[in-house]
Amino acid sequence: MESLFIEKKFAYDGSQLRSLFAYLEHGVLGPSIISWQGACDIPFTHMVDGEDLLAKAVIESDEMLHFIIEIFDRDLFAGVALQRMFASIARDYLQKHAAAVLNGQSLMREGDDIYWNDRKLSISIATKSPVSVMVHFAMNVTNEGTPVKTLSLSDLKLNPAKVAEDLMHLFKTEYQDILIATQKVRPVN
Amino acid sequence: MESLFIEKKFAYDGSQLRSLFAYLEHGVLGPSIISWQGACDIPFTHMVDGEDLLAKAVIESDEMLHFIIEIFDRDLFAGVALQRMFASIARDYLQKHAAAVLNGQSLMREGDDIYWNDRKLSISIATKSPVSVMVHFAMNVTNEGTPVKTLSLSDLKLNPAKVAEDLMHLFKTEYQDILIATQKVRPVN
Amino acid sequence: MESLFIEKKFAYDGSQLRSLFAYLEHGVLGPSIISWQGACDIPFTHMVDGEDLLAKAVIESDEMLHFIIEIFDRDLFAGVALQRMFASIARDYLQKHAAAVLNGQSLMREGDDIYWNDRKLSISIATKSPVSVMVHFAMNVTNEGTPVKTLSLSDLKLNPAKVAEDLMHLFKTEYQDILIATQKVRPVN
Amino acid sequence: MESLFIEKKFAYDGSQLRSLFAYLEHGVLGPSIISWQGACDIPFTHMVDGEDLLAKAVIESDEMLHFIIEIFDRDLFAGVALQRMFASIARDYLQKHAAAVLNGQSLMREGDDIYWNDRKLSISIATKSPVSVMVHFAMNVTNEGTPVKTLSLSDLKLNPAKVAEDLMHLFKTEYQDILIATQKVRPVN
Amino acid sequence: MESLFIEKKFAYDGSQLRSLFAYLEHGVLGPSIISWQGACDIPFTHMVDGEDLLAKAVIESDEMLHFIIEIFDRDLFAGVALQRMFASIARDYLQKHAAAVLNGQSLMREGDDIYWNDRKLSISIATKSPVSVMVHFAMNVTNEGTPVKTLSLSDLKLNPAKVAEDLMHLFKTEYQDILIATQKVRPVN
Amino acid sequence: MESLFIEKKFAYDGSQLRSLFAYLEHGVLGPSIISWQGACDIPFTHMVDGEDLLAKAVIESDEMLHFIIEIFDRDLFAGVALQRMFASIARDYLQKHAAAVLNGQSLMREGDDIYWNDRKLSISIATKSPVSVMVHFAMNVTNEGTPVKTLSLSDLKLNPAKVAEDLMHLFKTEYQDILIATQKVRPVN
């Protein structure tokens, strides 16, 4: 699994969640996780979460830290499981690195979301392209421009680029470790 | 997904990790998670983790809280991902419910293991039967009879049966939620 | 598997055979079978059966009882097999409930069609979306507006809404029963 | 799909339900359906239906018409669906060819079984080998030696070898037709 | 697997690489290989090779011998492996039938390409449609209009239609042979 | 993909064709190709090729160069395709490196075999374990002890260890290249 932090900021509008985005736009080939900072504003035409579509949800934020994961040869179930692993890894990381701010309180992962009490840090969706499964995961960098009560990396006093590099490293390690776990075990009856 | 806590104690020797164990021995049909308490002693003939086999690892404990998860129609990659989800769910649960003992320190999930500093709470393996993927996950109830420095539910002042019921409930919810997430999303290109 | 009979009549023009139609238009989540009444007129742009396309077939009827089945995580082969199961279930049901009209003669299922001698009751297609396999099956409510010699539920003196509810119930039971049959069997060598 | 009626009678004891039985014992290569006549007596060691195992079911008959279907590259769900298609095809065939005996009454398919009122004609199981999915389906030729109230081909005044040839032909046609239906359809979104 | 050599010449512009092209345009149903002669000019809108897209590659030739292979129920990995088998079969065939011209020198297959020293004979891509995997493979009939140093069937003194018929025959045989090899082998542990 | 040439000679008797052989016996983890020299003598109990079993074939040689390939998460069809790719790669390599001996004549690949006229160089089988697909491919190092007319690496004046290292390198490159080809292509409709 390759990774890339894209220095240039750009907005996420949902159209980035397409197969080979990392390869065709940023030269990152194969299973990958990429990250960048930018606004978030997803029109209904690009919204893929049926629940959000039915709820006519507004998904906006002035500045988020975005991640797109793409893996090949897996079904959507595995994609959703990896999405939640990423949320879990992020929660554990933020808990540790924002300990001073959190002051003994716990961040909570619920499904693919991370919360601090009723403040929502993140949004995420996992979906399927004809050649891959893909995850978008994003955390607020700021609380500006969000339609609900949010938590942001600014609140946690964390540097987005550093968080991105660290989380991508942790996720790559986990992914590789999961893969190895499928190749070193004897079958049972 | 069905679940069952088996009241009767019995030892885990690896032979329980076989397809339809929950159904044929305990009447639990379909995707399932079951749990019970008992000793753990896995001879090499039933050891399926190649890494343990190569290391000639001793896997023993006088009393553990065992879980066996079985799901159908998924590949081993998804099985390993679910195994880690279970470890993550267990970590979060124990962190919350043993807060008084942990005293502000964090339990850590590493791969499929849970640690408190250098004390290992759990063992786990995910493997494949011809009809399903299966996970064994077990946490020490006591530190007696373990070959390494361990942590146990006793240390955490937690009741194993209660932990079992709660974790099975949380896992079933997560599993169902993952499944729904694969059935409510539009594909991308 | 969820089911829904939609009270409001609307025409089927092929565009309804798209992934998540039941969820996004009618709130029915997951594997599902839905049904409604309405005209049928499928333009070539929405026709997915290559055989019909090559034959430049006219597919029209003034009033049909429509069904759309959607299942996830299965290949098209399973989708076609379920389509034929549905046709078989429908045949058996109609044979029993229209006994007085049929007067000892048998309805015949041939592939995905149901016939009474040379009179065709139904049309059907199974196809694949990027996230699911889907079946459209429809029976004439009337013989008006059909391009071939047809049989209709009116001929059989049957109430479409009752037929819909009954067939959806029977199909859900069969589907659930098939699923269970995959989860209670030991593998062979 | 190839087929073969084996002239030589031999008993079915469950051990015939193994991969490549048709090829290695009877030279029939690839997806296949074979048939023969013989007693049926399945000891628990060869019983693969978990439900029968839990019920400690006795599965015996002095003379049955056996079928074994083997297909490759499909999951067990498709195997079970084909099993039920076979039962449906058999029901329709027997209804037509034993019309004089049945005297206007209907044979009923329920899941993988065929009944005439409370008289059971058939037994069946679908399972998975490491390289294929397999179905055993058998109909009583006589009612001798059966543990429950049964119906037999003798009751229906039908010649077992003729029934075997006809059903194998019908099933091959249906299988081929299902396969073609997966190769002539355009995908939807 | 069916095959067809289309007598009428037409240009390949990438739009032919779509599911059911052989069936809907030329009546060839199921797994297939078809071939025809014509120019080649692939605009970026129809270019599917990400490497070519990134390189802004020009893919043109005044006259090529085109092949499109379509198979169902396989993943893209198998599609790419078949693509390379086709290249290997073509190399072996051309080596034998153009021996006089090649004069003891060897054609070389590299990945999906065939070379004579630095002269490139062929282009190819394998991709996935929602219902199949597809391969386009084409060899220059002439060296006119190609953007790089090329080899052509004219150089090799070979008749394109004869080459097409022979290669399609050889590929069908290989495909069928691979399929049989998956249906005559016992599993291992 | 990892590779290993095992310096120690040992006989191949078919029992080496089991999942995780490379990992559990030689520490090579994940998709792999390993090689060694040794006699070959496969008793019927370990013979997995149904064709050989039916023919009661004798498979023996005093000294062969053995290869075992194991890949995960692929079906047997892909395994057989890779087996033939390996045979093709071997043929091309031997043609080039034994040019002096072959004296302008061509080695021929037929299915999974390599021939020089009527002299058979190699044997091979591809099969499936519950967790992987596996290939055994072996070339005669000597013609001693073979039941048919054979060709050997000795005839070709080639050093087995060198051939092993070179072919493993070429195969790893091809495998990696195939994998990349599945991850850089846009889907079609």
Side-chain angles (χ1 to χ4, degrees), chain A residues 17 19 48-51 74-75 77 84-85 88 91 109 127-130 174 177 184 186 188-189, chain B residues 17 19 48-51 74-75 77 84-85 88 91 109 127-128 130 174 177 184 186 188-189:
Chain A
L17 199 62
S19 60
V48 294
D49 187 338
E51 210 173 336
R74 302 290 166 195
D75 63 12
F77 186 93
R84 275 135 208 251
M85 286 313 300
S88 169
R91 193 220 71 88
R109 177 188 69 85
T127 187
K128 206 173 163 182
S129 86
E174 185 94 45
D177 201 38
K184 57 151 205 172
R186 297 171 56 96
V188 294
N189 282 325
Chain B
L17 199 62
S19 60
V48 294
D49 187 339
E51 210 173 336
R74 301 290 167 194
D75 63 11
F77 186 93
R84 274 136 208 251
M85 285 313 300
S88 169
R91 193 219 73 88
R109 177 188 68 83
T127 186
K128 206 173 164 181
E174 185 95 45
D177 201 38
K184 58 151 205 171
R186 296 172 56 97
V188 293
N189 281 323

Side-chain angles (χ1 to χ4, degrees), chain D residues 51-112:
Chain D
E51 210 174 336
D52 288 337
L53 282 166
L54 287 181
K56 300 194 192 310
V58 174
I59 307 182
E60 288 176 357
S61 176
D62 282 5
E63 180 95 355
M64 300 192 90
L65 180 63
H66 299 282
F67 296 86
I68 287 183
I69 299 167
E70 180 168 28
I71 57 165
F72 299 85
D73 288 320
R74 302 290 166 196
D75 63 12
L76 184 48
F77 186 93
V80 176
L82 285 182
Q83 173 202 37
R84 275 137 205 252
M85 286 313 299
F86 187 80
S88 169
I89 289 167
R91 193 220 73 89
D92 291 354
Y93 173 88
L94 298 173
Q95 184 74 41
K96 182 174 171 190
H97 290 82
V101 177
L102 293 168
N103 195 23
Q105 285 193 289
S106 281
L107 294 171
M108 301 299 291
R109 177 188 69 83
E110 288 178 22
D112 52 17

Side-chain angles (χ1 to χ4, degrees), chain B residues 73-92:
Chain B
D73 289 319
R74 301 290 167 194
D75 63 11
L76 184 48
F77 186 93
V80 176
L82 285 183
Q83 173 201 38
R84 274 136 208 251
M85 285 313 300
F86 187 81
S88 169
I89 289 167
R91 193 219 73 88
D92 290 354

Side-chain angles (χ1 to χ4, degrees), chain C:
Chain C
M1 174 168 278
E2 295 300 308
S3 65
L4 178 72
F5 183 73
I6 305 162
E7 297 290 341
K8 189 170 174 297
K9 290 191 179 187
F10 58 99
Y12 178 84
D13 66 4
S15 70
Q16 293 76 19
L17 198 63
R18 63 177 190 269
S19 60
L20 305 195
F21 175 75
Y23 179 52
L24 293 177
E25 301 299 321
H26 301 285
V28 181
L29 177 64
S32 68
I33 180 166
I34 61 173
S35 178
W36 74 93
Q37 280 180 259
C40 184
D41 186 358
I42 307 175
F44 291 125
T45 45
H46 288 153
M47 205 175 278
V48 295
D49 187 336
E51 211 173 334
D52 289 337
L53 282 166
L54 287 181
K56 299 194 193 310
V58 174
I59 306 181
E60 289 177 356
S61 175
D62 281 6
E63 181 95 356
M64 300 192 89
L65 180 63
H66 300 281
F67 295 87
I68 287 183
I69 299 168
E70 181 169 27
I71 58 164
F72 299 85
D73 289 319
R74 301 290 166 195
D75 63 13
L76 184 48
F77 186 93
V80 176
L82 285 182
Q83 173 201 36
R84 276 135 206 253
M85 287 311 300
F86 187 80
S88 169
I89 289 167
R91 193 220 71 90
D92 291 354
Y93 173 88
L94 298 174
Q95 184 75 41
K96 182 174 172 189
H97 290 82
V101 176
L102 293 168
N103 196 23
Q105 286 192 287
S106 280
L107 294 171
M108 301 298 291
R109 178 188 68 83
E110 288 178 21
D112 53 17
D113 288 321
I114 297 172
Y115 285 92
W116 189 17
N117 300 317
D118 60 347
R119 298 171 64 186
K120 194 169 186 279
L121 173 67
S122 60
I123 58 168
S124 184
I125 190 69
T127 187
K128 205 173 163 180
S129 86
V131 292
S132 55
V133 290
M134 307 196 72
V135 177
H136 175 246
F137 189 95
M139 293 182 276
N140 300 304
V141 171
T142 170
N143 298 309
E144 305 297 312
T146 61
V148 295
K149 194 171 172 184
T150 52
L151 176 71
S152 67
L153 294 178
S154 302
D155 297 327
L156 298 175
K157 314 282 184 214
L158 293 170
N159 174 277
K162 176 73 166 62
V163 169
E165 292 289 4
D166 288 351
L167 287 183
M168 291 195 293
H169 175 74
L170 288 167
F171 183 73
K172 280 199 293 182
T173 303
E174 185 94 46
Y175 173 81
Q176 189 57 26
D177 200 39
I178 290 175
L179 207 58
I180 286 171
T182 69
Q183 299 170 341
K184 58 152 204 172
V185 73
R186 298 172 55 97
V188 293
N189 281 326

